[in-house]
Amino acid sequence: MGSFKALCNVSLLQLFIVLLCLVFQCFATDLRTTLVVDASDATGRPIPETLFGIFFEEINHAGAGGLWAELVSNRGFEAGGPNTPSNIDPWTIIGNESSIIVETDRTSFFERNKVALRLEVLCDSEGDNTCPDEGVGVYNPGFWGMNIEQGKTYKVIFYVRSTESLNLTVSLKGSNGVGNLASSAITGTADDFSNWTKVETLLVAKATDHNSRLQLTTTTKGVIWLDQVSAMPVDTYKGHGFRTELFEMLSALKPKFIRFPGGCFVEGEWLRNAFRWKATVGPWEERPGHFGDVWMYWTDDGLGYFEFLQLAEDLGALPIWVFNNGVSHNDEVDTSAVLPLVQEALDGIEFARGDPTSKWGSLRAAMGHPEPFDLRYVAVGNEDCGKPKYRGNYLKFYHAIRAAYPDIQIISNCDGSSRALDHPADMYDYHVMSSHMSFITTDMYDYHVYTTANDMFSRASTFDRTSRNGPKAFVSEYAVTGKDAGTGSLLAALAEAGFLIGLEKNSDVIEMVSYAPLFVNANDRRWNPDAIVFNSYQAYGTPSYWVQLFFSESSGATLLSSSLQSNSSSNSVLASAITFQSSVDNKNYIRIKVVNFGTSAVNLKISIDGLEPNSLQLSGSTKTVLTSGNVMDENSFSQPKKVVPIKSGLQNVGKDLNVTVPARSFTSFDLLKESSDLKRKGSDSSTWSSM
């Protein structure tokens, strides 16, 4: 009996081991995939020069308090509306009711923004009612705190008038008004300031505080009026007003175009609050500003039409101007009355492209840019195709622009992916929210998609089925949203990477691609996720931002024919291959991008055909991997590089490479070539940016 029991125990143990091995094999399958790349001259296909760009919308305080470096919020006191007295937020009074009374009135020097701030100072430097030692007045905290850095210079400009002699102190104060970072005294007689007078002063910071504020105070009795108070660092990009580190993050993407200024920002909930370009040009002091009622905040329009065009030029990107076509979210202009808006659009094109002696070209020249901007694309509205007046209005814009500027590419909001468009256009709109789609028609169309991670990844094949003779797509807004995205997850980024590989491989029918939204101020999240997160002094890229860098060399490169062969039925791996010449070292590279969306690592054999023997070099060839310990990992101010690409040298390079692609990862293999035979004439690509 005892021997039989022992035998049974051994048999049970063996059976357990066999079952364990079977289970282990189920979960640890040796996933083998082969990527075959044809690198010969005969099969390469040019990728459009314009394929990858960016889309800027004034959302999440992306411009006001973000890319636009103005430190003062509500600088013209107009945010409270035209009626006076009005709310002056975020301006705050320094002093109590016995020492100062502050209100707005309509006495401004500027015709388009009549509201000014009136300070009636009741205390004095001596007598029965003496002012506090630091004076009374107002302060502005900027956009959730002003970033003031030691040694840097800040230009403060404001307009002032006074009934008495003026003794005004302009200062940068630390958090909660503690600590004097820099100050300047503005003094003069009553005659000096009896009329509106422009004052400029430079303040050099003695210390650093990321939560500073601007103060204007006095200890002299009288009435003082203030208007158009501005404070900006002098070290903006090229002096053009762009916050340098945010601009540099955009520049690193090497965008070929920039679509602006929206998005819903262009439409407005109501037309009275839509972005109108003429109100955003000319001297900044004369711009009335407006309330963006879609994203619910005021902008002084310091970042206006001119500045967007300048931004495009500074980035080396083509501007794509989106203008209002008489349609908002809630009201519309009848087609019979839309011609004034048509003329406004024509005037806007003249402002960008006209001769410096023309009416609107001369205004551009007066703003410091006599040469025309390179405006080649305009979009008639944003996501308006389903509105009753859109088609009729669109035709008015189309024919007028085509007659005046026959070379301008005109983008319709209507989709051309399924049937013939019922109106002419050069580009068209295709909007997808989650799995819902609507169709309409055209030669090129604007494709928007916000959806889940799995659905986004599956859309890599969307354009495989598109007719090669049909319309081309402008994928101007895409992102994974909802719980899969969080505020910027690795999961979302990997799904988008797969989608972009599909777009790159179908770039014969896709003209342009851009992510949305681009920026978010962490203090004002109106939309999640976003590519770049910032506050007054910090910034980081989400994983979705870093994915875009993998494609920064694709525009104008050559797409190589490639195919995946796998021993698994899973479709979790996607790949593409390009060749490009670096503008940094003038050397040729093959870049192979691989997304593994699955939960298991993949053993990948890369086989490259069509190359001369020993034409790939080990020295200079690299591997870059984007992954993390958890697919829902995100970057943050405390861990800005938790999920970023990591570059390393390759251990071996040859016609055949055997590599392991980690689970839930995006990998780029950059293979340095010996010769320049694969360079496409006219390519303007460069090497992978340092991480």
Side-chain angles (χ1 to χ4, degrees), residues 25 67 148 202 396 631 651 668 673:
Q25 285 181 333
L67 181 62
I148 304 301
L202 295 176
K396 295 289 187 181
V631 76
Q651 298 303 310
S668 170
K673 292 188 61 194

Side-chain angles (χ1 to χ4, degrees), residues 547-617:
V547 159
Q548 292 174 66
L549 259 80
F550 281 77
F551 294 86
S552 61
E553 307 294 357
S554 293
S555 301
T558 298
L559 180 73
L560 301 178
S561 176
S562 62
S563 62
L564 278 169
Q565 302 161 5
S566 176
N567 68 345
S568 168
S569 60
S570 171
N571 295 318
S572 64
V573 178
L574 293 171
S576 67
I578 65 170
T579 183
F580 64 95
Q581 185 182 47
S582 165
S583 61
V584 176
D585 60 13
N586 293 319
K587 294 179 180 178
N588 289 329
Y589 292 82
I590 292 174
R591 173 169 292 175
I592 297 169
K593 296 187 289 292
V594 183
V595 179
N596 181 1
F597 198 58
T599 57
S600 299
V602 172
N603 294 318
L604 178 66
K605 178 182 179 181
I606 301 174
S607 181
I608 304 175
D609 298 331
L611 288 177
E612 295 294 326
N614 303 316
S615 61
L616 297 177
Q617 300 183 30

Side-chain angles (χ1 to χ4, degrees), residues 482-678:
K483 65 179 182 179
D484 287 347
T487 58
S489 70
L490 173 63
L491 177 64
L494 295 179
E496 291 157 4
F499 178 62
L500 292 180
I501 279 183
L503 300 188
E504 182 176 81
K505 296 184 76 171
N506 284 287
S507 56
D508 57 325
V509 293
I510 298 168
E511 197 73 12
M512 298 176 176
V513 182
S514 54
Y515 179 91
L518 188 58
F519 283 116
V520 59
N521 188 314
N523 296 284
D524 186 40
R525 287 184 179 272
R526 308 279 167 156
W527 185 283
N528 284 317
D530 309 271
I532 299 171
V533 184
F534 65 89
N535 59 20
S536 71
Y537 69 103
Q538 297 168 294
Y540 65 85
T542 62
S544 293
Y545 169 83
W546 292 108
V547 159
Q548 292 174 66
L549 259 80
F550 281 77
F551 294 86
S552 61
E553 307 294 357
S554 293
S555 301
T558 298
L559 180 73
L560 301 178
S561 176
S562 62
S563 62
L564 278 169
Q565 302 161 5
S566 176
N567 68 345
S568 168
S569 60
S570 171
N571 295 318
S572 64
V573 178
L574 293 171
S576 67
I578 65 170
T579 183
F580 64 95
Q581 185 182 47
S582 165
S583 61
V584 176
D585 60 13
N586 293 319
K587 294 179 180 178
N588 289 329
Y589 292 82
I590 292 174
R591 173 169 292 175
I592 297 169
K593 296 187 289 292
V594 183
V595 179
N596 181 1
F597 198 58
T599 57
S600 299
V602 172
N603 294 318
L604 178 66
K605 178 182 179 181
I606 301 174
S607 181
I608 304 175
D609 298 331
L611 288 177
E612 295 294 326
N614 303 316
S615 61
L616 297 177
Q617 300 183 30
L618 178 61
S619 176
S621 293
T622 60
K623 175 180 70 173
T624 306
V625 183
L626 179 71
T627 191
S628 191
N630 189 303
V631 76
M632 293 308 295
D633 280 349
E634 301 181 359
N635 294 328
S636 63
F637 290 126
S638 60
Q639 293 181 289
K641 294 187 177 181
K642 184 175 184 178
V643 189
V644 297
I646 303 299
K647 184 196 289 187
S648 61
L650 286 171
Q651 298 303 310
N652 58 78
V653 173
K655 176 182 178 297
D656 294 324
L657 289 81
N658 291 293
V659 297
T660 299
V661 182
R664 300 294 203 183
S665 69
F666 187 23
T667 305
S668 170
F669 301 94
D670 281 11
L671 311 178
L672 177 61
K673 292 188 61 194
E674 179 73 30
S675 63
S676 60
D677 60 301
L678 287 180

Side-chain angles (χ1 to χ4, degrees), residues 25-46:
Q25 285 181 333
C26 288
F27 288 96
T29 302
D30 184 11
L31 298 179
R32 295 184 181 277
T33 301
T34 299
L35 175 66
V36 179
V37 177
D38 185 347
S40 63
D41 292 332
T43 60
R45 174 169 56 75

Side-chain angles (χ1 to χ4, degrees), residues 275-326:
F275 180 89
R276 303 293 288 272
W277 78 266
K278 289 184 180 179
T280 73
V281 296
W284 61 267
E285 304 96 325
E286 298 177 8
R287 302 181 191 183
H290 79 286
F291 179 67
D293 61 355
V294 175
W295 307 120
M296 300 301 290
Y297 60 86
W298 175 266
T299 170
D300 290 305
D301 287 327
L303 181 58
Y305 182 44
F306 175 88
E307 288 75 21
F308 279 117
L309 291 167
Q310 184 66 69
L311 175 62
E313 184 174 87
D314 288 347
L315 288 169
L318 293 171
I320 301 178
W321 176 36
V322 186
F323 55 75
N324 189 282
N325 64 94

